């Protein structure tokens, strides 16, 4: 394994310093890809790599409750997306095809040019879709969680009215100007707004970690640009759908959105299956046991 670099983000381990289980199985690592120092957490010695991609506004830490359960037979890698979490550097473009290249090259650098099992939530799903359609030989499966793939039966114009934040996060620089310095107020509201049936959809310790990460210089800016690039992603996705995916693909989505999201995904993966979830958007926190069971079933974990 390549040596880890000295971190540019000095508080990257704030949430794990006193986590004995984390220390027993995982470590923080840093590798620079095209001028962006990518932060990732890695653990396990199993021959099968499984890669976890988070969404907005979260970090790799959204996967922390699940990661130990995914260790058997696997090397588990949870990555902070380019520009988010504790990944640090200037990013010239935010379309997901471009951002996916950072993840692709990181995995190659780590020695995983093929056979990677991929799990992605929210905007991690946009990058995951670009990965599996852009580097088809690198991935052996995709489990996508609560993310609408625009470009086929579903357009961004249809996605945008689903929640206020699709429009608000696209307002540059207003979004940053209003939220900067008020990260906790906004994130706590945002987590509740996207899981209104649950009083605390994201636990307090995770909120603390996400507030720390999204208070870092530039992270809100990059996050808003993820949203601004969605129309470009739609065009890219439509072109990529011209060659159907042949790897296994599985969708987890909130029950009211499941049929719409699955139909959209089948524009790229005609054989995709899925499971409607009886929870809100923050599935790793709200339905962690079911998510782990779905991942293990889909990827054929033993036992």
């Amino acid at each position: 394994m390549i040596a880890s670099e000295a971190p540019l983000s000095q508080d990257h381990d704030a949430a794990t310093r006193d986590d004995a289980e984390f220390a027993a199985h995982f470590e923080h690592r840093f590798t620079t890809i095209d001028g962006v120092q990518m932060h990732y957490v890695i653990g396990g010695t199993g021959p099968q790599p499984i890669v976890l991609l988070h969404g907005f506004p979260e970090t790799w830490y959204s996967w922390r409750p699940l990661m130990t359960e995914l260790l058997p037979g696997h090397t588990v890698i949870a990555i902070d997306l380019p520009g988010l979490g504790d990944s640090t550097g200037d990013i010239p473009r935010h379309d997901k095809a471009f951002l996916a290249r950072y993840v692709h090259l990181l995995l190659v650098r780590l020695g995983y040019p093929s056979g990677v099992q991929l799990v992605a939530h929210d905007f991690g799903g946009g990058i995951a879709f670009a990965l599996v359609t852009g580097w088809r030989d690198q991935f052996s499966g995709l489990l996508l969680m609560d993310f609408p793939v625009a470009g086929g039966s579903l357009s961004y114009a249809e996605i945008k009215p689903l929640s206020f934040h699709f429009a608000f996060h696209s307002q540059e620089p207003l979004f940053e100007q209003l939220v900067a310095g008020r990260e906790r107020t906004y994130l706590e509201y945002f987590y509740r707004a996207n899981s209104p049936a649950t009083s605390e959809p994201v636990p307090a310790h995770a909120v603390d970690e996400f507030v720390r990460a999204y208070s870092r210089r530039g992270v809100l800016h990059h996050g808003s640009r993820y949203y601004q690039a969605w129309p470009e992603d739609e065009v890219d996705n439509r072109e990529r759908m011209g060659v159907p995916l042949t790897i296994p693909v599985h969708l987890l989505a909130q029950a009211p959105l499941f049929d719409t999201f699955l139909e959209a995904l089948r524009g790229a993966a005609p054989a995709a299956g899925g499971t409607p979830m009886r929870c809100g958007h923050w599935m790793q926190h709200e339905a962690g046991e079911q998510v782990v069971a779905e991942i293990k079933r889909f990827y054929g974990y033993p036992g």
Side-chain angles (χ1 to χ4, degrees):
M1 183 179 294
I2 61 173
S4 180
E5 302 168 0
L8 297 176
S9 178
Q10 299 305 312
D11 290 326
H12 63 276
D13 59 347
T16 59
R17 289 170 187 161
D18 300 319
D19 185 339
E21 184 186 66
F22 178 92
H25 296 290
F26 300 100
E27 62 178 316
H28 295 272
R29 298 182 69 85
F30 295 85
T31 299
T32 295
I33 303 293
D34 289 350
V36 174
Q37 189 183 69
M38 297 290 290
H39 171 237
Y40 54 100
V41 167
I42 188 167
T45 59
Q48 175 62 59
I50 185 166
V51 171
L52 312 174
L53 302 180
H54 67 87
F56 180 94
E58 295 187 291
T59 71
W60 78 271
Y61 193 68
S62 67
W63 300 107
R64 176 65 191 94
L66 286 60
M67 290 170 64
T68 305
E69 293 294 320
L70 297 178
L71 282 171
H74 286 68
T75 296
V76 178
I77 308 168
I79 300 174
D80 272 345
L81 299 181
L84 305 185
D86 289 286
S87 291
T88 304
D90 293 328
I91 299 172
R93 289 165 42 191
H94 290 78
D95 56 283
K96 306 312 168 291
F98 184 83
L99 295 175
R101 186 172 180 273
Y102 292 101
V103 177
H104 156 68
L105 291 176
L106 174 63
L107 295 177
V108 170
R109 186 83 62 88
L110 294 177
Y112 301 115
S114 63
V116 176
Q117 296 174 345
L118 194 57
V119 181
H121 175 243
D122 189 81
F123 255 135
I127 290 179
F129 184 79
L131 284 167
V132 299
T133 55
W135 294 275
R136 293 172 183 252
D137 295 335
Q138 190 170 23
F139 301 94
S140 59
L142 169 63
L143 190 146
L144 189 66
M145 295 170 54
D146 220 35
F147 181 78
V149 177
S153 65
L154 190 60
S155 68
Y156 180 52
E158 294 171 295
I159 295 168
K160 201 170 182 180
L162 293 176
S163 174
F164 79 95
H165 73 275
F166 292 110
F168 179 47
H169 291 174
S170 298
Q171 303 304 310
E172 175 74 28
L174 183 65
F175 167 69
E176 290 180 67
Q177 292 172 336
L178 292 179
V179 177
R182 305 177 183 89
E183 291 86 359
R184 181 176 297 277
T185 299
Y186 183 68
L187 293 186
E188 287 180 342
Y189 173 82
F190 185 65
Y191 298 136
R192 291 193 303 269
N194 282 274
S195 288
T198 305
S199 60
E200 189 183 64
V202 178
H205 65 88
V207 173
D208 289 344
E209 172 62 5
F210 300 147
V211 169
R212 179 199 65 79
Y214 281 86
S215 299
R216 294 185 64 228
R217 182 177 178 273
V219 176
L220 281 176
H221 171 76
H222 289 302
S224 69
R225 295 296 176 91
Y226 271 58
Y227 284 86
Q228 291 175 38
W230 212 321
E232 186 175 353
D233 297 336
E234 180 177 352
V235 174
D236 290 341
N237 292 348
R238 185 175 300 118
E239 180 178 352
R240 289 163 179 257
M241 287 178 177
V243 180
L245 287 168
T246 56
I247 59 171
V249 177
H250 192 77
L251 173 72
L252 306 181
Q254 296 175 71
L257 300 171
F258 177 78
D259 290 339
T260 299
F261 285 12
L262 182 59
E263 181 184 1
L265 184 58
R266 283 177 171 167
T275 303
M277 300 286 285
R278 306 293 174 179
C279 65
H281 180 65
W282 315 107
M283 295 177 177
Q284 299 98 307
H285 308 290
E286 299 178 65
E289 290 186 5
Q290 184 180 356
V291 171
V292 167
E294 291 281 346
I295 293 171
K296 288 186 171 182
R297 182 191 62 78
F298 178 62
Y299 282 124
Y301 274 68

